[in-house]
Amino acid sequence: MHFISDIISQLLLWVESLGYFGIMLGLMIEVIPSEIVLAYGGFLVSSGNISFWGAVVFGVIGGVIAQLFVYWIGRYGGRPVLERYGKYIFIHKKHIDAAEAWFSKYGSGVIFTARFIPVVRHAISIPAGISKMNIWRFTLLTTLATIPWSILFIYLGSVLGDQWENVNEKAGPYVTPILLVALALLIVYFVIKMVKSRSGKGTK
């Protein structure tokens, strides 16, 4: 565990040395959970090394590229590749199973709402890639979800300053409302989809 902690510390120092690009690359390679990278970016904002909105922009770019990478693996490598190598980017079989179940039940619109759901959010790009979902629609929905997520954790990191490592404890009161809104949007989306499906059958 101490070894892993040392690796993370070294990677965060690397992120700090690269500034905005460090945040972007840190999110792209997904060796460290996105919340940690973004919170550390917030810490860099509080120390005056970078600007808040600059961190948000590069955080969003890095987060979207990371998901596009998983999307392309799903599209061209399929589930077998992800089951074998997904563990290196913190994606395991149970995540893939849950993501596929959500995607199958709710369709491509779940790409936005699932970004805020634990377990599913990191793996939802897999079924999107496997099903060959339209890349532009995928990118748009991923970006729209990544923006508030990046703003939240960079803001928390900047407020916490030297205590940024406690971000997961502080994030709870903020993440819960976002999660509830995401679930509400998912329900609305599902209802609209059901109504359209029934009206389509009625016109035949």
Side-chain angles (χ1 to χ4, degrees), residues 98-118:
E100 286 193 332
W102 274 62
F103 197 85
S104 175
K105 185 174 183 179
Y106 300 112
S108 61
V110 78
I111 290 297
F112 174 80
T113 51
R115 297 294 177 200
F116 307 101
I117 312 297

Side-chain angles (χ1 to χ4, degrees), residues 141-194:
L141 292 173
T142 299
T143 302
L144 291 176
T146 304
I147 290 171
W149 192 257
S150 298
I151 290 174
L152 172 62
F153 282 95
I154 290 172
Y155 167 74
L156 290 176
S158 67
V159 170
L160 290 169
D162 292 338
Q163 303 298 313
W164 68 270
E165 291 182 19
N166 299 323
V167 68
N168 285 328
E169 297 173 16
K170 301 294 182 182
Y174 297 91
V175 173
T176 300
I178 293 175
L179 176 60
L180 292 174
V181 171
L183 287 172
L185 289 172
L186 182 61
I187 292 170
V188 171
Y189 169 78
F190 187 56
V191 169
I192 292 173
K193 185 179 178 183
M194 226 171 33

Side-chain angles (χ1 to χ4, degrees), residues 14-154:
W14 174 71
V15 168
E16 182 176 0
S17 68
L18 294 176
Y20 297 114
F21 287 99
I23 295 173
M24 184 180 75
L25 292 172
L27 291 166
M28 284 170 57
I29 60 177
E30 290 200 324
V31 174
I32 310 172
S34 63
E35 300 94 318
I36 300 299
V37 175
L38 292 169
Y40 191 72
F43 163 68
L44 296 180
V45 170
S46 71
S47 62
N49 290 354
I50 56 178
S51 72
F52 179 84
W53 290 111
V56 169
V57 169
F58 279 83
V60 170
I61 293 172
V64 171
I65 291 176
Q67 292 307 313
L68 282 170
F69 176 66
V70 178
Y71 169 90
W72 287 112
I73 294 177
R75 181 159 183 155
Y76 293 106
R79 182 172 177 136
V81 171
L82 284 156
E83 284 187 353
R84 185 171 182 179
Y85 300 107
K87 60 185 178 182
Y88 297 110
I89 52 174
F90 304 105
I91 294 176
H92 301 281
K93 186 177 182 297
K94 65 178 181 180
H95 303 138
I96 300 173
D97 290 340
E100 286 193 332
W102 274 62
F103 197 85
S104 175
K105 185 174 183 179
Y106 300 112
S108 61
V110 78
I111 290 297
F112 174 80
T113 51
R115 297 294 177 200
F116 307 101
I117 312 297
V119 179
V120 179
R121 69 187 189 85
H122 287 301
I124 196 64
S125 302
I126 297 169
I130 292 173
S131 67
K132 294 181 171 54
M133 176 182 173
N134 180 276
I135 186 65
W136 299 113
R137 178 176 169 80
F138 172 84
T139 302
L140 174 62
L141 292 173
T142 299
T143 302
L144 291 176
T146 304
I147 290 171
W149 192 257
S150 298
I151 290 174
L152 172 62
F153 282 95
I154 290 172

